[in-house]
Amino acid sequence: MPHDHPHHDNHLDPMDARVRALETILTRKGLVDPAAIDVIVETYAHKVGPRNGAAVVARAWTDPAFADWLARDATAAVGSMGFTGRQGEHVQAVFNTPQTHNVVVCTLCSCYPWTLLGLPPVWYKSPAYRSRVVIEPRAVLAEFGLDLPPECQVRVWDSTAELRYLVVPLRPAGTEGWSAERLATLVTRDSMVGTGIAQAPQ
Ligand code: FE
């Protein structure tokens, strides 16, 4: 499947230089407005972030009908909460269970559900993560501090430009009766990529 963005490597200096050169050429030719690019970067770097995804997860934990919709058609379910747009056109939610832990990667580049999680962290784009997590997911997860019980299977999902994944982590014990707003504070970015789990209540 094709990948729709040009940075097919991690953010090495030569790639940054190429991106800047490309932006300069496109700007000089009048094809792009650098101010518009700045708005897009600013939006995904600061305004859209993992809080969107956390709100989705917390709602799924507290609203079984929504969880069912999220499982069947995540694009529509998250769209109903206003989370649509670039790099979020088609989303699939994968639900952790006590028997199965899900983790997301983009082995080709860095496809990521921007509308739900903001911009991807540096490690998500690193060649080491992209290559190793499919070969030895348990070892990679252990390096993130996540030691799964041996009976828990790990499923690795490879993102593409057409399909981005959101992991729905297990709801932490001891949160019975919590509101969705309060639960959302326990949902970390890494728990929605699968390199972590939701925080336990204090
Ligand atoms: Fe990609």
Side-chain angles (χ1 to χ4, degrees):
M1 283 180 150
H3 292 246
D4 64 355
H5 41 107
H7 47 92
H8 271 233
D9 274 304
N10 62 330
H11 279 191
L12 301 171
D13 287 339
M15 186 59 70
D16 284 347
R18 285 170 65 183
V19 168
R20 277 197 207 104
L22 184 61
E23 183 178 338
T24 300
I25 291 164
L26 292 173
T27 303
R28 284 200 191 131
K29 287 179 178 287
L31 294 173
V32 300
D33 173 1
I37 294 176
D38 289 345
V39 167
I40 292 169
V41 171
E42 169 70 16
T43 296
Y44 285 95
H46 299 294
K47 292 183 185 153
V48 177
R51 293 303 92 207
N52 288 1
V56 171
V57 168
R59 186 166 169 199
W61 284 345
T62 53
D63 180 345
F66 180 79
D68 183 58
W69 190 16
L70 187 65
R72 284 184 289 106
D73 186 352
T75 308
V78 304
S80 77
M81 295 176 73
F83 306 140
T84 59
R86 284 183 183 78
Q87 305 239 352
E89 290 86 348
H90 295 283
V91 181
Q92 181 176 336
V94 288
F95 290 68
N96 286 349
T97 70
Q99 294 79 33
T100 306
H101 180 88
N102 297 285
V103 61
V104 178
V105 66
C106 175
T107 55
L108 278 183
C109 44
S110 55
C111 297
Y112 191 74
W114 290 14
T115 52
L116 297 171
L117 300 184
L119 294 179
V122 170
W123 56 257
Y124 186 84
K125 299 182 283 191
S126 73
Y129 176 77
R130 285 157 38 206
S131 59
R132 287 184 58 220
V133 76
V134 290
I135 298 167
E136 45 175 358
R138 261 172 212 284
V140 171
L141 294 180
E143 289 167 24
F144 278 91
L146 182 55
D147 286 302
L148 296 168
E151 65 273 17
C152 185
Q153 291 192 324
V154 181
R155 281 196 75 173
V156 181
W157 300 84
D158 194 359
S159 308
T160 68
E162 280 76 30
L163 191 55
R164 318 295 166 107
Y165 296 97
L166 175 74
V167 175
V168 180
L170 287 171
R171 178 172 172 166
T175 59
E176 294 73 18
W178 282 35
S179 69
E181 289 73 21
R182 195 173 170 206
L183 285 165
T185 66
L186 302 178
V187 184
T188 63
R189 177 195 66 197
D190 286 8
S191 75
M192 294 181 280
V193 182
T195 53
I197 57 173
Q199 291 177 347
Q202 296 295 335

